[in-house]
Structures are given as C-alpha cells and as structure tokens.
Amino acid sequence: MPANEALSVADALHRRRSVRAFSDRPVDRAVLARIFADAQRAPSGGNLQPWQVTVVTGARWERVKAAVAARIAMGRDGQQPEYDIYPRGLTDPWESRRFGVGEALYASLGIPREDKPGRLARFMENYRGFGAPVMLFLHCSRIMGPPQWADMGMWLQSVMLLLVEHGLASCPQECWAMYGATIRHELELGDDQILFTGLAIGHADAAAPVNQWPVPRAELDEVIDWQGF
C-alpha cells in the first residue's frame, strides 16, 4: 500500500498482518520517529506510559542476532525466558487456534509435518527477524504489573497500525523474550528492565507465500456475550 494512500482505522486493522518475509529496503528513521510520536497518544492507566523502547538496525541489530544465535546453539541450557509466552496447560479453544495457525503457516511454505529439519530451519527465521532491517524491543520496569503490560499492548497495536498507514509492515515477536538476559546485555539495559517483545519492522516482501495465506479469526459469538441489548 502506498504510504500516501488514505485509509480508515478499520482498513489498517484489516491490512495489518504478522509479516514473515521482509525486503532489505531500509526504513527512514524520520518516519519511525513520527510514528512513535503519534503512538504516544496510546492510553495508559494513570498516564504512566510504562513502555520503554529500544530500536536497532545495522551493525547493532546484527550483533543482537549473533548473540542470540550463540545462545540458541546451546540448546535448552541457553534459554533465558522472561515469562511464559503461552499459559502452561493451554486447553481448547486456545490450543486448537495456536496449532491451527502454525499448521497453516507451514502449509503456505510447503513444509509438511514430517519435515522436521525444514520446520526447524523456518522457525529459526524468527531469530533473524524474518529479514527485517529494523527491530524494536519493547520493555518496561520490573515493578510494572499486568495492567501496565496491557498498556504496552495498546501502545504496540498503535504502532503497528501507524506502520500500515505509512506503507510499512511488522511482526510482533514474543519469541525474543526466551533470551531476555542476552538481549538486555546487548542493548545495555539494566536488570531492572524486563523484555516484553520484539517487533520486526520493514517493507513486506509482497510476493512471499508466507505473507499471503489467510489468517483466521474467531467468530463474534465465540468471544462476545451481548447482555441488555
């Protein structure tokens, strides 16, 4: 979508998707600064604005990827999880949704379930940001609780929709929280910070099949209970 094309909030919501293949086209820092300035209008309880953000590109981004790759090579011993990305003991309908979207993603790439090496290789693209030239790391003080984490989510959604408005794409990636200590070290963050998520930012590779498959959403009657109408 051209950056100057007018669109509604609903348009941006429908056009936004988690892009998993980016071009190497650079992103203008001035455009990102404008997006972040607008995103500061996101709501937060008590106006705390708990989000803290580190944005990397170039050599700095390459160093982060290399440091995390070294931890991944250590296997489970290399993991440094900040929190449980998914609830333990996840049940339906949530487990089915999670499984279903994963299978649809691999199907779009032509990687069957029995191709374990192929799936692992594709999974590792998470830790390369799917080729995105910019990575945003969203973190906050450890004193913050669930309400402030919800505030960070609202800020993040605001950024993702504004990126669409400016002709850019993104992919939120909580997977980086599996190596929180390494990322804090590379970004020179204090241990008082906890990493929430990464956000890959760039220009989508529109021709990539992984960016074209339809991502399902639950029907309204699964999530909305109308009362008093």
Side-chain angles (χ1 to χ4, degrees), residues 3 8-9 15 46 53 81 83 89 95 135 142 144 206-207 222 225:
S8 67
V9 175
R15 295 189 187 193
V53 183
Y83 57 88
E95 178 63 16
M135 179 60 68
R142 290 186 182 275
M144 300 300 174
E222 294 184 55
D225 178 19

Side-chain angles (χ1 to χ4, degrees), residues 26 68 72 77 93 100 114 126 145 154 173 196 210 212 227 229:
V68 170
I72 292 172
D77 290 340
E114 58 271 18
N126 278 282
M154 288 188 283
Q173 294 186 275
F196 171 25
V210 75
Q212 299 176 10
Q227 298 188 8
F229 285 86

Side-chain angles (χ1 to χ4, degrees), residues 115-200:
D115 184 2
K116 302 300 183 184
R119 289 197 169 199
L120 179 59
R122 181 60 204 180
F123 176 77
M124 291 302 297
E125 286 299 310
N126 278 282
Y127 294 103
R128 300 182 184 97
F130 303 112
V134 174
M135 179 60 68
L136 177 158
F137 289 105
L138 179 57
H139 46 95
C140 70
S141 169
R142 290 186 182 275
I143 70 172
M144 300 300 174
Q148 289 74 50
W149 282 57
D151 294 340
M152 285 197 292
M154 288 188 283
W155 181 87
L156 188 67
Q157 173 77 323
S158 299
V159 168
M160 290 190 289
L161 296 181
L162 288 163
L163 287 166
V164 172
E165 180 184 23
H166 287 269
L168 292 163
S170 64
C171 184
Q173 294 186 275
E174 292 172 320
C175 65
W176 293 99
M178 292 299 296
Y179 301 94
T182 292
I183 291 171
R184 282 197 303 275
H185 174 76
E186 292 299 320
L187 302 182
E188 301 178 359
L189 304 178
D191 288 339
D192 63 310
Q193 294 287 299
I194 183 168
L195 179 66
F196 171 25
T197 189
L199 182 72

Side-chain angles (χ1 to χ4, degrees), residues 23-134:
S23 75
D24 60 1
R25 180 180 168 189
V27 177
D28 187 343
R29 173 175 170 168
V31 172
L32 292 178
R34 178 178 174 184
I35 287 170
F36 298 148
D38 287 340
Q40 284 300 107
R41 301 307 305 171
S44 60
N47 199 32
L48 295 188
Q49 303 168 70
W51 45 84
Q52 296 288 305
V53 183
T54 303
V55 187
V56 297
T57 192
R60 188 71 159 185
W61 175 210
E62 293 302 319
R63 287 199 298 272
V64 172
K65 287 186 282 188
V68 170
R71 298 294 304 189
I72 292 172
M74 298 168 61
R76 289 188 178 274
D77 290 340
Q79 294 181 354
Q80 308 151 313
E82 298 282 79
Y83 57 88
D84 290 331
I85 293 177
Y86 297 105
R88 298 183 185 186
L90 193 64
T91 58
D92 278 338
W94 308 288
E95 178 63 16
S96 291
R97 292 173 187 166
R98 180 187 175 195
F99 178 81
V101 77
E103 288 302 302
L105 186 154
Y106 286 117
S108 75
L109 296 164
I111 305 176
R113 292 196 70 187
E114 58 271 18
D115 184 2
K116 302 300 183 184
R119 289 197 169 199
L120 179 59
R122 181 60 204 180
F123 176 77
M124 291 302 297
E125 286 299 310
N126 278 282
Y127 294 103
R128 300 182 184 97
F130 303 112
V134 174

